[in-house]
Amino acid sequence: MKEVLRSSDPVRLSFITALLADAGIETYVLDTHMSILEGSASAIPRRLMVADEWYDATCRILEQSGEPLHTR
């Protein structure tokens, strides 16, 4: 699995997850529970992950939609 981006914005994560689902790409959001537990300080962003074989397609889709990527 590869990290696509990190965000503390649940609306943005939901939008990107839906965008990728429309393209047939399954996503996984990690650190959701830790992010909720820490409260509203946004100290622990959630990580959006995709399978290795879908990473390049994911980057192209997000780039075409104007979504900035924050990858490592």
Side-chain angles (χ1 to χ4, degrees):
M1 295 190 77
K2 290 192 177 188
E3 181 180 332
V4 176
L5 62 90
R6 291 180 187 210
S7 178
S8 297
D9 183 352
V11 175
R12 181 174 183 227
L13 287 170
S14 178
F15 169 73
I16 292 173
T17 298
L19 182 68
L20 295 174
D22 284 345
I25 299 173
E26 187 173 2
T27 60
Y28 307 90
V29 179
L30 304 181
D31 303 322
T32 299
H33 297 291
M34 290 303 295
S35 180
I36 291 169
L37 285 175
E38 61 87 21
S40 62
S42 299
I44 302 174
R46 298 171 192 180
R47 295 178 288 157
L48 186 71
M49 311 290 284
V50 296
D52 292 344
E53 60 268 16
W54 289 107
Y55 183 75
D56 291 333
T58 297
C59 291
R60 280 192 302 275
I61 291 167
L62 294 181
E63 184 177 300
Q64 290 172 355
S65 69
E67 283 294 326
L69 298 178
H70 302 288
T71 58
R72 292 183 168 226

